[in-house]
Amino acid sequence: RELRRELALAYEAQLAMPDAALRHLRALLDAGDDDLLGAEVRDRLERTCLKLLRCADNPSELEARLSRFLERNPDDAEHWLELARLREEQLHSAARALTAYRRALELDADCLPALRGARRTAERLGRWSDVAEALERELAHPELDVDLLANHPLKDRLDTSDEVVMETTLTSEG
C-alpha cells in the first residue's frame, strides 16, 4: 500500500506519467483500506486522482470519483459545482445536474454560477417555477449582469405577471 502511494505520487509529480499514476491511485482508493490510509492521506490521494481524471477526458469515472469524494466531504460547495457542471456539460444529465446545483446553492447561496446552472437545467427540464425562482434570485444578486437577463425569454413573462399582480393589488385596494 505504501509503495503504491509513493509510486502514484512519483508518477504524477516527478515523472509526469498520469496514466501510471492513475493506475496506482485507483488501486489504492478502491482497496477499501480507508482506516489504514488515514483521512488526510486519502483526501490527498483523492484530490490527486480527481486532478488527473480532469485531464484524462473520462467524465464517467470523474463523476463517480467526485460523487464518492462528496460523500466524505458533503459541505464542499466548489466540488458540488464541479459535479453539476460535469453532469450538465459532458454527461448531458440535466436532472442530476440540477440536483448538484441545488446542493451547491444550499452550501453557498450567493454562488452565481450555481444559480445560473440551476436556471439552465430547470429550463431544459421544463420546470418553469424553478426557472422563475432562479431568475428572481439572479435579479436580487449583487453581481447581476442586467444585460444577460434583459434578453431572457421568460423576462417578458415575469414582467407581465408582475404587472398583473400590481393591477390586481391596486384594483382590490381601490
Side-chain angles (χ1 to χ4, degrees):
R1 188 186 75 244
E2 186 63 30
L3 182 59
R4 275 198 188 277
R5 185 178 70 78
E6 288 183 29
L7 277 170
L9 297 176
Y11 278 129
E12 189 267 331
Q14 286 122 5
L15 301 174
M17 297 175 67
D19 292 337
L22 271 172
R23 187 174 61 248
H24 291 288
L25 287 167
R26 286 177 181 124
L28 278 166
L29 294 171
D30 295 342
D33 295 336
D34 290 355
D35 295 336
L36 296 174
L37 285 176
E40 188 176 310
V41 171
R42 180 169 188 81
D43 188 66
R44 180 176 174 211
L45 294 175
E46 283 182 318
R47 289 177 188 276
T48 302
C49 185
L50 292 173
K51 181 178 94 174
L52 294 173
L53 285 171
R54 286 180 194 104
C55 299
D57 195 31
N58 187 345
S60 296
E61 184 179 1
L62 180 56
E63 180 197 27
R65 299 265 179 204
L66 263 173
S67 295
R68 276 185 254 156
F69 177 81
L70 287 165
E71 286 173 10
R72 282 183 281 289
N73 302 281
D75 296 332
D76 188 331
E78 184 178 321
H79 280 95
W80 279 107
L81 180 59
E82 179 183 0
L83 180 63
R85 286 176 169 161
L86 177 71
R87 287 174 172 173
E88 178 186 11
E89 297 167 6
Q90 293 182 29
L91 299 173
H92 309 289
S93 177
R96 292 177 31 191
L98 181 58
T99 300
Y101 280 126
R102 285 180 175 158
R103 179 65 181 139
L105 285 167
E106 286 174 17
L107 297 168
D108 181 3
D110 291 331
C111 181
L112 196 54
L115 188 55
R116 288 183 172 156
R119 176 176 44 87
R120 277 191 314 273
T121 53
E123 196 170 342
R124 284 190 193 113
L125 295 167
R127 297 182 183 171
W128 304 116
S129 62
D130 291 341
V131 174
E133 178 187 333
L135 283 169
E136 292 292 336
R137 287 178 67 182
E138 277 186 66
L139 282 170
H141 199 280
E143 297 174 23
L144 172 69
D145 184 350
V146 178
D147 294 334
L148 281 177
L149 282 180
N151 296 322
H152 194 279
L154 282 182
K155 184 192 175 296
D156 292 334
R157 290 186 198 163
L158 289 174
D159 289 345
T160 304
S161 65
D162 288 346
E163 289 171 13
V164 169
V165 168
M166 182 66 96
E167 285 178 24
T168 307
T169 304
L170 291 175
T171 53
S172 65
E173 289 177 359

